[in-house]
Amino acid sequence: MVLFALVASHQNVDLNTVARLSTGALGLSEEMVRSGPLRGAVTLSTCNRLEIYGELEDTPGVPSGAALDRVLAELAEQIGSRAGLDPEFVADSLRAFTDSGAARHLFTVVSGLESAVVGEREITGQVRRALNDAQQAGTVSGKLQRLFEAAARTARKVGTQTALGERGRSIVSVALDLADDVTSGTWTSRRALVFGTGAYAGATMAALRDRGCADIEVYSASGRAEQFTENRGGTPVGTAELAAALERADVVIGCSGGSAPMGAAAFPAGSRTVVDLALTRDFDPAVADLPGVELITLESVRVAAPDETRESVDAASGIVERAAQEFAASQEARDMDAAIVALRKHTMAVLDAELEKVTSHHGCTAAQEQIELAMRRMVRSLLHTPTVRARELAAQGRQDEYITGLAALYGIEVPAPAAEESAPPAAGAPPEAATRSQAAG
């Protein structure tokens, strides 16, 4: 089985491209699993990245490398078609990782080492939600389930064994720090208006309260503001009240990623700070040209994000590397288990055929039982050394040599593991998919 990851993030493309690619990837994982090319898939979409993790379905007679190239080309074609982008541009925008490289990348991401704010902990929850969404959609294969479980363990180790992220910095906190620098007054006296009811909106509400902001209004174009504020506090704002809420607000924070950005003409005159944390923009960039308006974007946050100490990053990187090696070793051992089962099945089939001959020739006698017992003991003895050797080679990363040897000596083709049942939804998994963005409003 081949695991792969396709990645477009703030590290290799601009955020506008990330947003367009994310739009093109909506629902694509589910389609690719149901139509057959993929055994499983999980899509991670955040304000900074689009990542598609997949496990290839075996195709008899097709080398895994060729099958992977075909699937990657199909994904690029589909994303490009849906997003209105050239497939070659899409392919160039996506970095590909396979097997241990895919695991290492996910472990690096979930630990906060690739975030715009290095060490931020929001990414851990975003990865967990991506897995939950895939479980709800029934697209998680057993191998992907194990990969994401290992990623969660790695993130916990980084959180408990290093100082990475201990200062609590996040995209939201850095954005609010920037807003604090350019907004008059203090948070206790400021009025805030939040667009959206997704994960980032919830994190923003919590961060505003932590800073002493008590006057928070919430607007949702989808009409979920009232339910959202019941659980988190704040005052819901309807469409008819939006203009008045904008007039009152000292700080306007966009977290929804609505389909059409609000234009500059919708903003009343006056001084205010506008913070746009939505991947697909909640506000037209022309807002920055309005008199008295300061616009803070995700790009602003990325540039302003402070560096973590080298010691913390090195320690976290070491944990990630060890976790990636352990995951690779565990997968190699599972592959070798399949080879051992194939050898045992082959050998016992030969034995059963021989016993069938004995029974046919001599009939049912006590001697048959003695012969069967002796032959089975003989087979177990013959299998002992090959079984021990299989484990030794797996530990050395040489399982391919063993599998090739079986084919050369016995003509045994080691079958791929049977398709595993999709992992059940995790307890507490959210009822609605969020693959389009963590900031759905």
Side-chain angles (χ1 to χ4, degrees):
M1 294 292 99
V2 177
L3 282 177
F4 69 87
L6 284 181
V7 178
S9 77
H10 66 97
Q11 295 204 339
N12 66 307
V13 296
D14 62 90
L15 294 181
N16 183 57
T17 298
V18 172
R20 296 189 66 181
L21 293 173
S22 297
T23 299
L26 283 175
L28 185 55
S29 293
E30 293 90 332
E31 292 183 17
M32 294 287 281
V33 171
R34 295 190 180 104
S35 62
L38 299 183
R39 172 170 290 187
V42 178
T43 299
L44 170 65
S45 180
T46 77
C47 65
N48 282 312
R49 65 184 65 251
L50 167 68
E51 305 197 352
I52 299 174
Y53 292 84
E55 180 183 358
L56 281 184
E57 189 67 80
D58 273 340
T59 304
V62 179
S64 60
L68 177 61
D69 290 342
R70 183 188 306 167
V71 168
L72 298 187
E74 183 176 349
L75 283 166
E77 179 75 32
Q78 291 287 341
I79 292 173
S81 175
R82 295 164 181 228
L85 297 170
D86 182 75
E88 290 188 11
F89 173 79
V90 174
D92 290 342
S93 300
L94 294 168
R95 293 182 295 164
F97 301 88
T98 59
D99 293 324
S100 61
R104 183 176 289 101
H105 176 76
L106 177 59
F107 297 171
T108 301
V109 168
V110 77
S111 300
L113 289 170
E114 281 218 350
S115 297
V117 179
V118 174
E120 59 103 356
R121 308 311 301 162
E122 290 165 349
I123 187 63
T124 304
Q126 291 164 347
V127 171
R128 182 176 61 251
R129 285 191 291 274
L131 175 62
N132 288 342
D133 291 339
Q135 288 172 329
Q136 291 284 333
T139 65
V140 182
S141 65
K143 199 165 189 177
L144 283 172
Q145 179 75 29
R146 292 190 292 274
L147 173 66
F148 276 75
E149 288 174 350
R153 291 193 296 271
T154 303
R156 285 195 293 270
K157 286 183 180 179
V158 169
T160 58
Q161 297 180 18
T162 77
L164 192 69
E166 69 178 4
R167 281 170 282 187
R169 291 193 180 113
S170 67
I171 289 175
V172 171
S173 67
V174 173
L176 293 183
D177 285 345
L178 292 175
D180 199 21
D181 292 339
V182 297
T183 309
S184 61
T186 63
W187 286 109
T188 56
S189 62
R190 293 168 185 158
R191 291 181 170 181
L193 172 60
V194 176
F195 280 61
T197 55
Y200 260 140
T204 299
M205 292 282 287
L208 286 170
R209 284 197 299 270
D210 287 345
R211 291 166 185 252
C213 184
D215 194 341
I216 307 172
E217 295 183 294
V218 178
Y219 170 74
S220 170
S222 58
R224 292 198 291 266
E226 186 169 350
Q227 179 182 359
F228 179 83
T229 53
E230 282 180 1
N231 299 326
R232 297 170 178 81
T235 305
V237 172
T239 301
E241 306 159 314
L242 181 56
L246 283 168
E247 181 84 41
R248 291 189 294 267
D250 300 300
V251 180
V252 180
I253 306 171
C255 307
S256 72
S259 56
M262 175 177 287
F267 281 83
S271 298
R272 60 184 50 82
T273 300
V274 178
V275 181
D276 197 342
L277 298 181
L279 177 59
T280 53
R281 298 188 188 278
D282 275 336
F283 312 114
D284 190 299
V287 168
D289 298 329
L290 295 174
V293 172
E294 295 284 349
L295 177 63
I296 296 169
T297 66
L298 286 169
E299 288 289 356
S300 308
V301 172
R302 184 177 64 83
V303 172
D307 293 329
E308 280 290 334
T309 63
R310 174 50 53 188
E311 292 81 4
S312 297
V313 171
D314 288 346
S317 298
I319 292 172
V320 165
E321 182 59 33
R322 289 191 293 275
Q325 292 174 359
E326 290 170 2
F327 181 79
S330 70
Q331 293 308 115
E332 289 164 356
R334 293 179 73 92
D335 291 342
M336 192 56 75
D337 286 343
I340 293 171
V341 170
L343 175 60
R344 288 184 180 276
K345 184 177 179 180
H346 169 76
T347 307
M348 298 308 292
V350 172
L351 173 59
D352 288 340
E354 292 299 321
L355 290 177
E356 180 68 25
K357 293 178 184 178
V358 172
T359 301
S360 175
H361 184 73
H362 296 287
C364 298
T365 66
Q368 175 194 346
E369 296 178 1
Q370 295 172 355
I371 293 172
E372 178 176 350
L373 180 61
M375 291 184 72
R376 290 191 182 278
R377 275 201 298 257
M378 176 194 70
V379 169
R380 285 196 294 271
S381 178
L382 288 172
L383 286 174
H384 175 72
T385 297
T387 299
V388 171
R389 186 62 179 147
R391 302 292 187 193
E392 292 173 347
L393 289 174
Q396 299 169 18
R398 298 167 57 196
Q399 70 275 8
D400 287 346
E401 296 178 23
Y402 190 92
I403 294 172
T404 300
L406 289 183
L409 292 175
Y410 298 105
I412 299 174
E413 295 295 331
V414 179
E420 302 180 62
E421 295 292 330
S422 295
E432 56 186 5
T435 53
R436 53 189 177 275
S437 169
Q438 87 296 335

